[in-house]
Amino acid sequence: LAARGRVKEATSLREKILRNNLYTEYKTPENLMENISDIIGVRIECRFIDDERKIFNEIANLFRVKSENGYY
């Protein structure tokens, strides 16, 4: 099992906002940041199918409360 993470850098975040015209969709920068996706990424690599099942179940157990915006 290996886990890797990343946080989008300021430059690539700025490029995404400009490329997708996200600055026109939100009234404030705070509102934009609350609604933008793909800022943080996590990759979990498993070598065995049994490990995949265990990890999936653990993740599903952690993210079982749905918020009002549709995220868990």
Side-chain angles (χ1 to χ4, degrees), residues 12-30:
S12 60
L13 181 57
R14 190 176 313 115
E15 289 172 4
K16 178 179 182 165
I17 291 168
L18 294 173
R19 182 177 60 249
N20 295 314
N21 294 319
L22 296 175
Y23 59 91
T24 63
E25 294 181 30
Y26 299 97
K27 293 180 181 179
T28 66
E30 292 81 13

Side-chain angles (χ1 to χ4, degrees), residues 7-63:
V7 176
K8 191 175 280 286
E9 293 182 17
T11 304
S12 60
L13 181 57
R14 190 176 313 115
E15 289 172 4
K16 178 179 182 165
I17 291 168
L18 294 173
R19 182 177 60 249
N20 295 314
N21 294 319
L22 296 175
Y23 59 91
T24 63
E25 294 181 30
Y26 299 97
K27 293 180 181 179
T28 66
E30 292 81 13
N31 192 251
L32 186 150
M33 292 306 293
E34 289 173 357
N35 292 286
I36 196 166
S37 62
D38 193 34
I39 293 178
I40 299 173
V42 177
R43 180 187 323 193
I44 301 172
E45 299 173 4
C46 304
R47 294 184 186 208
F48 305 105
I49 293 173
D50 287 343
D51 287 341
E52 289 180 16
R53 282 190 201 97
K54 289 176 191 173
I55 292 168
F56 173 82
N57 290 331
E58 288 183 34
I59 291 171
N61 194 35
L62 289 172
F63 294 95

